[in-house]
C-alpha cells in the first residue's frame, strides 16, 4: 500500500484544477505533443489535446481519476518503465517531495523525456506560513525533510524558474491555499487534502486547530494578519521549474 492509499481518500474533492496554474504549466510544456505525467494523482494538471501517459503508484488516486483521463501506468518515479527520450516532455506536479529517492526520480524523468516541467515548492517559505509558524509548528520538521524547489532546480540544471503565487480564492486545496481564508482549516475535509497535515500526528493538528478556532472567534487572527486581508495573491514558495 502506498502513502496515498491511506491519505488520499476524497482527494479529488479538495484538489481541483485551478486555471491560473494550469495556464503556466501548459506554457512551460510548449509544443510538446507527448507528455509523461509522473506522480499524476487524479490528473489535475494534465494538458488537454496531447498524448498523455500518467504514472501513479496509488490505487486510491487512480480510482479518483475522472472519466476520459489519460491512461495510467502503475509505477514509481524512480523506475519509469519507458525507453530513452520516448516523451517530448515529462511533467511532475507537486509530487517530487513524496518520492523515496527524489534525485533518482529526476534522473529517470530526464532519461525518458526531452523537456522536464516540475512544479515544486520552497520548503523554507512553506514553513513561514502562519498555520505552521503559529499553530502547527510540528509540520516544519516534515517540510524540512523534503526536497526544496531550489535544490530541485539546481539538480535538474533548470533553464527557468517561475514563481506561481497562490490567489486568495485558489480552487486547488494545496496546503497554503487558504492563507486568506483561515476558517477553511477548521474543516476536516480541507485538512485531509493537505499531505503536510495528513502526515502530522492527529493530536498535534487538533491542538493547533483548536487554538485557531479560538483566535478566529476572538478576532485575534484577523488583528494579527490584517496585512493579508488586502492581498489578492501570496507567494507561498511554489515554483515552476523547466529544463
Amino acid at each position: 500500500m502506498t502513502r496515498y492509499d491511506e491519505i488520499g481518500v476524497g482527494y479529488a474533492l479538495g484538489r481541483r484544477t485551478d486555471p491560473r496554474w494550469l495556464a503556466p504549466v501548459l506554457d512551460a510544456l510548449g509544443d510538446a505533443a507527448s507528455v509523461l505525467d509522473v506522480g499524476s494523482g487524479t490528473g489535475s494538471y494534465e494538458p488537454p489535446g496531447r498524448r498523455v501517459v500518467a504514472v501513479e503508484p496509488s490505487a486510491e488516486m487512480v480510482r479518483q481519476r475522472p472519466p476520459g483521463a489519460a491512461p495510467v501506468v502503475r509505477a514509481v518515479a524512480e523506475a519509469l518503465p519507458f525507453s530513452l527520450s520516448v516523451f517530448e516532455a515529462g511533467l511532475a506536479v507537486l509530487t517530487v517531495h513524496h518520492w523515496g529517492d527524489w534525485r533518482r526520480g529526476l534522473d529517470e524523468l530526464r532519461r525518458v523525456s526531452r523537456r522536464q516541467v516540475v512544479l515544486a515548492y520552497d520548503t523554507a517559505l512553506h514553513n513561514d506560513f502562519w498555520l505552521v509558524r503559529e499553530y502547527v509548528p510540528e509540520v516544519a520538521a516534515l517540510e524540512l525533510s523534503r526536497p526544496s524547489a531550489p535544490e530541485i532546480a539546481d539538480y535538474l540544471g533548470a533553464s527557468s524558474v517561475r514563481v506561481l503565487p497562490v490567489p486568495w480564492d485558489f480552487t486547488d486545496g494545496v496546503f497554503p491555499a487558504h492563507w486568506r481564508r483561515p476558517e477553511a482549516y477548521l474543516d476536516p475535509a480541507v485538512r485531509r487534502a493537505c499531505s503536510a497535515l495528513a502526515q502530522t500526528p492527529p493530536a498535534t493538528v487538533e491542538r493547533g486547530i483548536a487554538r485557531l478556532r479560538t483566535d478566529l472567534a476572538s478576532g485575534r487572527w484577523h488583528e494579527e494578519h490584517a496585512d493579508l486581508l488586502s492581498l489578492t495573491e501570496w507567494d507561498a514558495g511554489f515554483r515552476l521549474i523547466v529544463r
Side-chain angles (χ1 to χ4, degrees):
M1 177 181 288
T2 71
R3 178 180 299 143
Y4 268 90
D5 286 333
E6 300 176 33
I7 70 174
V9 177
Y11 189 88
L13 298 176
R15 301 297 296 272
R16 300 183 300 278
T17 308
D18 193 297
R20 291 164 290 188
W21 273 16
L22 179 59
V25 168
L26 296 179
D27 182 60
L29 289 171
D31 59 0
S34 59
V35 178
L36 179 67
D37 184 14
V38 179
S40 61
T42 59
S44 296
Y45 293 96
E46 288 174 3
R50 312 190 195 203
R51 183 174 69 85
V52 179
V53 176
V55 168
E56 173 55 50
S58 167
E60 176 59 31
M61 300 300 277
V62 170
R63 186 187 66 78
Q64 295 179 60
R65 292 173 65 83
V72 182
V73 175
R74 295 283 303 281
V76 296
E78 297 89 337
L80 297 174
F82 305 103
S83 57
L84 181 69
S85 298
V86 69
F87 294 95
E88 293 180 29
L91 178 64
V93 175
L94 296 179
T95 178
V96 175
H97 58 282
H98 291 303
W99 298 353
D101 183 338
W102 64 271
R103 292 178 179 87
R104 183 176 174 184
L106 291 178
D107 288 342
E108 280 288 271
L109 194 66
R110 291 181 60 172
R111 180 181 65 80
V112 304
S113 62
R114 281 165 264 171
R115 172 185 297 181
Q116 295 81 47
V117 177
V118 177
L119 176 50
Y121 61 88
D122 186 317
T123 55
L125 288 179
H126 252 44
N127 279 345
D128 196 39
F129 178 33
W130 58 259
L131 187 61
V132 178
R133 195 175 61 242
E134 300 169 27
Y135 296 98
V136 195
E138 294 81 3
V139 168
L142 171 64
E143 294 289 21
L144 291 176
S145 73
R146 293 170 160 179
S148 193
E151 291 180 277
I152 293 169
D154 182 64
Y155 189 80
L156 271 179
S159 59
S160 69
V161 179
R162 177 175 176 176
V163 174
L164 292 189
V166 182
W168 77 272
D169 57 349
F170 202 46
T171 59
D172 185 344
V174 293
F175 180 37
H178 309 286
W179 58 269
R180 211 183 88 173
R181 298 170 287 168
E183 296 83 0
Y185 293 106
L186 304 183
D187 184 348
V190 168
R191 300 197 299 272
R192 283 195 298 271
C194 305
S195 69
L197 292 177
Q199 293 178 254
T200 300
T204 298
V205 175
E206 289 298 334
R207 282 196 299 270
I209 295 303
R211 290 195 298 270
L212 175 59
R213 184 178 290 107
T214 298
D215 287 351
L216 289 173
S218 69
R220 180 181 179 278
W221 187 93
H222 289 82
E223 291 175 8
E224 293 287 331
H225 299 285
D227 58 318
L228 294 179
L229 301 178
S230 62
L231 301 180
T232 58
E233 61 183 25
W234 176 65
D235 181 10
F238 293 103
R239 302 291 183 263
L240 190 61
I241 301 162
V242 181
R243 177 194 175 273

